PDB file of all heavy atoms in Angstrom:
ATOM      1  N   TRP A  54     -19.420  10.291  -1.882  1.00  0.00           N
ATOM      2  CA  TRP A  54     -20.471  10.714  -0.968  1.00  0.00           C
ATOM      3  C   TRP A  54     -21.109   9.536  -0.230  1.00  0.00           C
ATOM      4  O   TRP A  54     -21.446   9.639   0.945  1.00  0.00           O
ATOM      5  CB  TRP A  54     -21.532  11.523  -1.717  1.00  0.00           C
ATOM      6  CG  TRP A  54     -22.563  12.087  -0.807  1.00  0.00           C
ATOM      7  CD1 TRP A  54     -22.395  13.135   0.070  1.00  0.00           C
ATOM      8  CD2 TRP A  54     -23.889  11.630  -0.629  1.00  0.00           C
ATOM      9  NE1 TRP A  54     -23.553  13.352   0.765  1.00  0.00           N
ATOM     10  CE2 TRP A  54     -24.496  12.445   0.353  1.00  0.00           C
ATOM     11  CE3 TRP A  54     -24.638  10.622  -1.210  1.00  0.00           C
ATOM     12  CZ2 TRP A  54     -25.801  12.268   0.757  1.00  0.00           C
ATOM     13  CZ3 TRP A  54     -25.949  10.453  -0.810  1.00  0.00           C
ATOM     14  CH2 TRP A  54     -26.515  11.273   0.175  1.00  0.00           C
ATOM     15  N   LEU A  55     -21.240   8.405  -0.895  1.00  0.00           N
ATOM     16  CA  LEU A  55     -21.853   7.249  -0.246  1.00  0.00           C
ATOM     17  C   LEU A  55     -21.004   6.708   0.903  1.00  0.00           C
ATOM     18  O   LEU A  55     -21.523   6.051   1.800  1.00  0.00           O
ATOM     19  CB  LEU A  55     -22.143   6.146  -1.266  1.00  0.00           C
ATOM     20  CG  LEU A  55     -23.308   6.431  -2.219  1.00  0.00           C
ATOM     21  CD1 LEU A  55     -23.419   5.335  -3.268  1.00  0.00           C
ATOM     22  CD2 LEU A  55     -24.621   6.603  -1.466  1.00  0.00           C
ATOM     23  N   THR A  56     -19.712   6.995   0.868  1.00  0.00           N
ATOM     24  CA  THR A  56     -18.850   6.568   1.977  1.00  0.00           C
ATOM     25  C   THR A  56     -18.729   7.642   3.054  1.00  0.00           C
ATOM     26  O   THR A  56     -18.228   7.367   4.135  1.00  0.00           O
ATOM     27  CB  THR A  56     -17.438   6.197   1.478  1.00  0.00           C
ATOM     28  OG1 THR A  56     -16.825   7.350   0.905  1.00  0.00           O
ATOM     29  CG2 THR A  56     -17.499   5.070   0.461  1.00  0.00           C
ATOM     30  N   ASP A  57     -19.180   8.862   2.749  1.00  0.00           N
ATOM     31  CA  ASP A  57     -19.102   9.971   3.707  1.00  0.00           C
ATOM     32  C   ASP A  57     -20.281  10.913   3.480  1.00  0.00           C
ATOM     33  O   ASP A  57     -20.149  11.978   2.900  1.00  0.00           O
ATOM     34  CB  ASP A  57     -17.779  10.716   3.539  1.00  0.00           C
ATOM     35  CG  ASP A  57     -17.613  11.867   4.522  1.00  0.00           C
ATOM     36  OD1 ASP A  57     -18.421  11.972   5.477  1.00  0.00           O
ATOM     37  OD2 ASP A  57     -16.679  12.665   4.325  1.00  0.00           O
ATOM     38  N   ARG A  58     -21.438  10.497   3.939  1.00  0.00           N
ATOM     39  CA  ARG A  58     -22.665  11.274   3.693  1.00  0.00           C
ATOM     40  C   ARG A  58     -22.699  12.606   4.435  1.00  0.00           C
ATOM     41  O   ARG A  58     -23.575  13.425   4.185  1.00  0.00           O
ATOM     42  CB  ARG A  58     -23.892  10.437   4.039  1.00  0.00           C
ATOM     43  CG  ARG A  58     -24.084   9.302   3.052  1.00  0.00           C
ATOM     44  CD  ARG A  58     -25.313   8.498   3.380  1.00  0.00           C
ATOM     45  NE  ARG A  58     -25.395   7.341   2.532  1.00  0.00           N
ATOM     46  CZ  ARG A  58     -26.302   7.187   1.590  1.00  0.00           C
ATOM     47  NH1 ARG A  58     -27.210   8.095   1.379  1.00  0.00           N
ATOM     48  NH2 ARG A  58     -26.304   6.092   0.854  1.00  0.00           N
ATOM     49  N   GLN A  59     -21.761  12.833   5.313  1.00  0.00           N
ATOM     50  CA  GLN A  59     -21.680  14.113   6.001  1.00  0.00           C
ATOM     51  C   GLN A  59     -20.950  15.162   5.156  1.00  0.00           C
ATOM     52  O   GLN A  59     -20.958  16.342   5.492  1.00  0.00           O
ATOM     53  CB  GLN A  59     -20.958  13.948   7.347  1.00  0.00           C
ATOM     54  CG  GLN A  59     -21.627  12.974   8.287  1.00  0.00           C
ATOM     55  CD  GLN A  59     -23.068  13.340   8.586  1.00  0.00           C
ATOM     56  OE1 GLN A  59     -23.373  14.480   8.903  1.00  0.00           O
ATOM     57  NE2 GLN A  59     -23.961  12.374   8.481  1.00  0.00           N
ATOM     58  N   ASN A  60     -20.333  14.742   4.063  1.00  0.00           N
ATOM     59  CA  ASN A  60     -19.560  15.648   3.228  1.00  0.00           C
ATOM     60  C   ASN A  60     -20.498  16.387   2.269  1.00  0.00           C
ATOM     61  O   ASN A  60     -20.723  15.966   1.139  1.00  0.00           O
ATOM     62  CB  ASN A  60     -18.487  14.870   2.456  1.00  0.00           C
ATOM     63  CG  ASN A  60     -17.504  15.793   1.777  1.00  0.00           C
ATOM     64  OD1 ASN A  60     -17.811  16.933   1.455  1.00  0.00           O
ATOM     65  ND2 ASN A  60     -16.308  15.281   1.545  1.00  0.00           N
ATOM     66  N   LEU A  61     -21.033  17.501   2.745  1.00  0.00           N
ATOM     67  CA  LEU A  61     -21.988  18.260   1.948  1.00  0.00           C
ATOM     68  C   LEU A  61     -21.316  19.056   0.833  1.00  0.00           C
ATOM     69  O   LEU A  61     -21.978  19.481  -0.110  1.00  0.00           O
ATOM     70  CB  LEU A  61     -22.824  19.157   2.852  1.00  0.00           C
ATOM     71  CG  LEU A  61     -23.654  18.400   3.897  1.00  0.00           C
ATOM     72  CD1 LEU A  61     -24.462  19.377   4.747  1.00  0.00           C
ATOM     73  CD2 LEU A  61     -24.551  17.360   3.250  1.00  0.00           C
ATOM     74  N   PHE A  62     -20.002  19.227   0.922  1.00  0.00           N
ATOM     75  CA  PHE A  62     -19.271  19.845  -0.187  1.00  0.00           C
ATOM     76  C   PHE A  62     -19.330  18.940  -1.413  1.00  0.00           C
ATOM     77  O   PHE A  62     -19.658  19.390  -2.511  1.00  0.00           O
ATOM     78  CB  PHE A  62     -17.818  20.109   0.213  1.00  0.00           C
ATOM     79  CG  PHE A  62     -16.980  20.600  -0.926  1.00  0.00           C
ATOM     80  CD1 PHE A  62     -17.080  21.914  -1.341  1.00  0.00           C
ATOM     81  CD2 PHE A  62     -16.106  19.753  -1.586  1.00  0.00           C
ATOM     82  CE1 PHE A  62     -16.321  22.376  -2.414  1.00  0.00           C
ATOM     83  CE2 PHE A  62     -15.341  20.201  -2.644  1.00  0.00           C
ATOM     84  CZ  PHE A  62     -15.449  21.524  -3.060  1.00  0.00           C
ATOM     85  N   ILE A  63     -19.044  17.665  -1.204  1.00  0.00           N
ATOM     86  CA  ILE A  63     -19.116  16.711  -2.318  1.00  0.00           C
ATOM     87  C   ILE A  63     -20.547  16.631  -2.839  1.00  0.00           C
ATOM     88  O   ILE A  63     -20.778  16.575  -4.045  1.00  0.00           O
ATOM     89  CB  ILE A  63     -18.592  15.319  -1.890  1.00  0.00           C
ATOM     90  CG1 ILE A  63     -17.080  15.382  -1.641  1.00  0.00           C
ATOM     91  CG2 ILE A  63     -18.934  14.247  -2.923  1.00  0.00           C
ATOM     92  CD1 ILE A  63     -16.236  15.712  -2.873  1.00  0.00           C
ATOM     93  N   LYS A  64     -21.519  16.656  -1.922  1.00  0.00           N
ATOM     94  CA  LYS A  64     -22.918  16.623  -2.349  1.00  0.00           C
ATOM     95  C   LYS A  64     -23.251  17.851  -3.194  1.00  0.00           C
ATOM     96  O   LYS A  64     -23.985  17.753  -4.175  1.00  0.00           O
ATOM     97  CB  LYS A  64     -23.841  16.538  -1.134  1.00  0.00           C
ATOM     98  CG  LYS A  64     -25.279  16.273  -1.499  1.00  0.00           C
ATOM     99  CD  LYS A  64     -26.120  15.989  -0.275  1.00  0.00           C
ATOM    100  CE  LYS A  64     -27.540  15.642  -0.656  1.00  0.00           C
ATOM    101  NZ  LYS A  64     -28.372  15.367   0.516  1.00  0.00           N
ATOM    102  N   GLY A  65     -22.688  19.000  -2.853  1.00  0.00           N
ATOM    103  CA  GLY A  65     -22.899  20.207  -3.653  1.00  0.00           C
ATOM    104  C   GLY A  65     -22.324  20.083  -5.049  1.00  0.00           C
ATOM    105  O   GLY A  65     -22.963  20.476  -6.035  1.00  0.00           O
ATOM    106  N   LEU A  66     -21.116  19.526  -5.164  1.00  0.00           N
ATOM    107  CA  LEU A  66     -20.530  19.304  -6.492  1.00  0.00           C
ATOM    108  C   LEU A  66     -21.319  18.255  -7.265  1.00  0.00           C
ATOM    109  O   LEU A  66     -21.490  18.359  -8.484  1.00  0.00           O
ATOM    110  CB  LEU A  66     -19.070  18.867  -6.367  1.00  0.00           C
ATOM    111  CG  LEU A  66     -18.064  19.909  -5.904  1.00  0.00           C
ATOM    112  CD1 LEU A  66     -16.672  19.296  -5.822  1.00  0.00           C
ATOM    113  CD2 LEU A  66     -18.060  21.132  -6.811  1.00  0.00           C
ATOM    114  N   LEU A  67     -21.798  17.249  -6.553  1.00  0.00           N
ATOM    115  CA  LEU A  67     -22.610  16.206  -7.175  1.00  0.00           C
ATOM    116  C   LEU A  67     -23.882  16.822  -7.760  1.00  0.00           C
ATOM    117  O   LEU A  67     -24.245  16.542  -8.908  1.00  0.00           O
ATOM    118  CB  LEU A  67     -22.940  15.134  -6.131  1.00  0.00           C
ATOM    119  CG  LEU A  67     -23.489  13.819  -6.628  1.00  0.00           C
ATOM    120  CD1 LEU A  67     -23.095  12.710  -5.665  1.00  0.00           C
ATOM    121  CD2 LEU A  67     -24.970  13.839  -6.766  1.00  0.00           C
ATOM    122  N   HIS A  68     -24.551  17.682  -6.993  1.00  0.00           N
ATOM    123  CA  HIS A  68     -25.772  18.324  -7.483  1.00  0.00           C
ATOM    124  C   HIS A  68     -25.479  19.258  -8.648  1.00  0.00           C
ATOM    125  O   HIS A  68     -26.297  19.371  -9.562  1.00  0.00           O
ATOM    126  CB  HIS A  68     -26.483  19.055  -6.350  1.00  0.00           C
ATOM    127  CG  HIS A  68     -27.227  18.130  -5.443  1.00  0.00           C
ATOM    128  ND1 HIS A  68     -28.312  18.515  -4.707  1.00  0.00           N
ATOM    129  CD2 HIS A  68     -27.058  16.820  -5.141  1.00  0.00           C
ATOM    130  CE1 HIS A  68     -28.779  17.502  -4.007  1.00  0.00           C
ATOM    131  NE2 HIS A  68     -28.007  16.456  -4.255  1.00  0.00           N
ATOM    132  N   LEU A  69     -24.323  19.912  -8.642  1.00  0.00           N
ATOM    133  CA  LEU A  69     -23.930  20.740  -9.785  1.00  0.00           C
ATOM    134  C   LEU A  69     -23.794  19.873 -11.026  1.00  0.00           C
ATOM    135  O   LEU A  69     -24.277  20.237 -12.108  1.00  0.00           O
ATOM    136  CB  LEU A  69     -22.620  21.477  -9.497  1.00  0.00           C
ATOM    137  CG  LEU A  69     -22.014  22.252 -10.670  1.00  0.00           C
ATOM    138  CD1 LEU A  69     -22.983  23.324 -11.190  1.00  0.00           C
ATOM    139  CD2 LEU A  69     -20.681  22.863 -10.262  1.00  0.00           C
ATOM    140  N   SER A  70     -23.154  18.724 -10.888  1.00  0.00           N
ATOM    141  CA  SER A  70     -22.990  17.815 -12.032  1.00  0.00           C
ATOM    142  C   SER A  70     -24.337  17.341 -12.563  1.00  0.00           C
ATOM    143  O   SER A  70     -24.556  17.297 -13.773  1.00  0.00           O
ATOM    144  CB  SER A  70     -22.138  16.608 -11.628  1.00  0.00           C
ATOM    145  OG  SER A  70     -20.858  17.026 -11.215  1.00  0.00           O
ATOM    146  N   VAL A  71     -25.246  17.009 -11.650  1.00  0.00           N
ATOM    147  CA  VAL A  71     -26.584  16.573 -12.059  1.00  0.00           C
ATOM    148  C   VAL A  71     -27.307  17.713 -12.773  1.00  0.00           C
ATOM    149  O   VAL A  71     -27.971  17.500 -13.795  1.00  0.00           O
ATOM    150  CB  VAL A  71     -27.394  16.071 -10.845  1.00  0.00           C
ATOM    151  CG1 VAL A  71     -28.846  15.816 -11.219  1.00  0.00           C
ATOM    152  CG2 VAL A  71     -26.762  14.804 -10.274  1.00  0.00           C
ATOM    153  N   ALA A  72     -27.169  18.931 -12.255  1.00  0.00           N
ATOM    154  CA  ALA A  72     -27.809  20.091 -12.885  1.00  0.00           C
ATOM    155  C   ALA A  72     -27.322  20.274 -14.315  1.00  0.00           C
ATOM    156  O   ALA A  72     -28.122  20.484 -15.238  1.00  0.00           O
ATOM    157  CB  ALA A  72     -27.524  21.350 -12.067  1.00  0.00           C
ATOM    158  N   LEU A  73     -26.018  20.191 -14.504  1.00  0.00           N
ATOM    159  CA  LEU A  73     -25.458  20.383 -15.843  1.00  0.00           C
ATOM    160  C   LEU A  73     -25.873  19.257 -16.783  1.00  0.00           C
ATOM    161  O   LEU A  73     -26.119  19.482 -17.975  1.00  0.00           O
ATOM    162  CB  LEU A  73     -23.936  20.512 -15.764  1.00  0.00           C
ATOM    163  CG  LEU A  73     -23.455  21.741 -14.974  1.00  0.00           C
ATOM    164  CD1 LEU A  73     -21.944  21.732 -14.842  1.00  0.00           C
ATOM    165  CD2 LEU A  73     -23.946  23.029 -15.609  1.00  0.00           C
ATOM    166  N   TYR A  74     -25.981  18.059 -16.252  1.00  0.00           N
ATOM    167  CA  TYR A  74     -26.466  16.940 -17.057  1.00  0.00           C
ATOM    168  C   TYR A  74     -27.921  17.171 -17.456  1.00  0.00           C
ATOM    169  O   TYR A  74     -28.282  17.028 -18.623  1.00  0.00           O
ATOM    170  CB  TYR A  74     -26.304  15.617 -16.306  1.00  0.00           C
ATOM    171  CG  TYR A  74     -26.867  14.448 -17.063  1.00  0.00           C
ATOM    172  CD1 TYR A  74     -26.231  13.990 -18.218  1.00  0.00           C
ATOM    173  CD2 TYR A  74     -28.035  13.818 -16.656  1.00  0.00           C
ATOM    174  CE1 TYR A  74     -26.754  12.925 -18.944  1.00  0.00           C
ATOM    175  CE2 TYR A  74     -28.555  12.760 -17.372  1.00  0.00           C
ATOM    176  CZ  TYR A  74     -27.919  12.316 -18.516  1.00  0.00           C
ATOM    177  OH  TYR A  74     -28.445  11.276 -19.231  1.00  0.00           O
ATOM    178  N   HIS A  75     -28.764  17.548 -16.497  1.00  0.00           N
ATOM    179  CA  HIS A  75     -30.175  17.826 -16.800  1.00  0.00           C
ATOM    180  C   HIS A  75     -30.291  18.897 -17.888  1.00  0.00           C
ATOM    181  O   HIS A  75     -31.060  18.756 -18.833  1.00  0.00           O
ATOM    182  CB  HIS A  75     -30.930  18.300 -15.559  1.00  0.00           C
ATOM    183  CG  HIS A  75     -31.345  17.215 -14.625  1.00  0.00           C
ATOM    184  ND1 HIS A  75     -31.939  16.044 -15.030  1.00  0.00           N
ATOM    185  CD2 HIS A  75     -31.282  17.150 -13.274  1.00  0.00           C
ATOM    186  CE1 HIS A  75     -32.221  15.298 -13.973  1.00  0.00           C
ATOM    187  NE2 HIS A  75     -31.811  15.939 -12.890  1.00  0.00           N
ATOM    188  N   TYR A  76     -29.542  19.957 -17.735  1.00  0.00           N
ATOM    189  CA  TYR A  76     -29.629  21.062 -18.698  1.00  0.00           C
ATOM    190  C   TYR A  76     -29.189  20.618 -20.091  1.00  0.00           C
ATOM    191  O   TYR A  76     -29.748  21.064 -21.088  1.00  0.00           O
ATOM    192  CB  TYR A  76     -28.783  22.246 -18.220  1.00  0.00           C
ATOM    193  CG  TYR A  76     -29.058  23.521 -18.981  1.00  0.00           C
ATOM    194  CD1 TYR A  76     -30.184  24.273 -18.698  1.00  0.00           C
ATOM    195  CD2 TYR A  76     -28.189  23.960 -19.972  1.00  0.00           C
ATOM    196  CE1 TYR A  76     -30.446  25.445 -19.398  1.00  0.00           C
ATOM    197  CE2 TYR A  76     -28.439  25.122 -20.674  1.00  0.00           C
ATOM    198  CZ  TYR A  76     -29.568  25.857 -20.391  1.00  0.00           C
ATOM    199  OH  TYR A  76     -29.830  27.023 -21.091  1.00  0.00           O
ATOM    200  N   SER A  77     -28.234  19.706 -20.138  1.00  0.00           N
ATOM    201  CA  SER A  77     -27.700  19.264 -21.436  1.00  0.00           C
ATOM    202  C   SER A  77     -28.746  18.571 -22.297  1.00  0.00           C
ATOM    203  O   SER A  77     -28.617  18.530 -23.514  1.00  0.00           O
ATOM    204  CB  SER A  77     -26.487  18.346 -21.243  1.00  0.00           C
ATOM    205  OG  SER A  77     -26.897  17.055 -20.787  1.00  0.00           O
ATOM    206  N   TYR A  78     -29.768  18.014 -21.667  1.00  0.00           N
ATOM    207  CA  TYR A  78     -30.823  17.377 -22.469  1.00  0.00           C
ATOM    208  C   TYR A  78     -32.165  18.096 -22.327  1.00  0.00           C
ATOM    209  O   TYR A  78     -33.208  17.561 -22.679  1.00  0.00           O
ATOM    210  CB  TYR A  78     -30.934  15.874 -22.188  1.00  0.00           C
ATOM    211  CG  TYR A  78     -31.438  15.477 -20.832  1.00  0.00           C
ATOM    212  CD1 TYR A  78     -32.796  15.410 -20.557  1.00  0.00           C
ATOM    213  CD2 TYR A  78     -30.549  15.154 -19.815  1.00  0.00           C
ATOM    214  CE1 TYR A  78     -33.261  15.040 -19.311  1.00  0.00           C
ATOM    215  CE2 TYR A  78     -30.998  14.780 -18.570  1.00  0.00           C
ATOM    216  CZ  TYR A  78     -32.363  14.715 -18.329  1.00  0.00           C
ATOM    217  OH  TYR A  78     -32.802  14.349 -17.077  1.00  0.00           O
ATOM    218  N   GLY A  79     -32.144  19.338 -21.848  1.00  0.00           N
ATOM    219  CA  GLY A  79     -33.330  20.177 -21.881  1.00  0.00           C
ATOM    220  C   GLY A  79     -34.223  20.146 -20.665  1.00  0.00           C
ATOM    221  O   GLY A  79     -35.304  20.745 -20.679  1.00  0.00           O
ATOM    222  N   ASN A  80     -33.819  19.484 -19.600  1.00  0.00           N
ATOM    223  CA  ASN A  80     -34.619  19.455 -18.381  1.00  0.00           C
ATOM    224  C   ASN A  80     -34.298  20.709 -17.563  1.00  0.00           C
ATOM    225  O   ASN A  80     -33.516  20.662 -16.615  1.00  0.00           O
ATOM    226  CB  ASN A  80     -34.350  18.184 -17.583  1.00  0.00           C
ATOM    227  CG  ASN A  80     -35.187  18.094 -16.321  1.00  0.00           C
ATOM    228  OD1 ASN A  80     -35.907  18.999 -15.959  1.00  0.00           O
ATOM    229  ND2 ASN A  80     -35.059  16.966 -15.636  1.00  0.00           N
ATOM    230  N   VAL A  81     -34.916  21.816 -17.949  1.00  0.00           N
ATOM    231  CA  VAL A  81     -34.616  23.110 -17.347  1.00  0.00           C
ATOM    232  C   VAL A  81     -35.056  23.148 -15.886  1.00  0.00           C
ATOM    233  O   VAL A  81     -34.326  23.630 -15.017  1.00  0.00           O
ATOM    234  CB  VAL A  81     -35.266  24.251 -18.158  1.00  0.00           C
ATOM    235  CG1 VAL A  81     -35.077  25.599 -17.474  1.00  0.00           C
ATOM    236  CG2 VAL A  81     -34.694  24.277 -19.567  1.00  0.00           C
TER     237      VAL A  81
END
Side-chain angles (χ1 to χ4, degrees):
W54 185 73
L55 287 175
T56 63
D57 181 11
R58 290 181 187 249
Q59 301 303 312
N60 191 334
L61 299 180
F62 174 77
I63 291 296
K64 189 171 183 180
L66 289 179
L67 194 151
H68 283 206
L69 173 59
S70 299
V71 171
L73 297 175
Y74 177 70
H75 280 314
Y76 193 78
S77 74
Y78 68 84
N80 181 355
V81 175

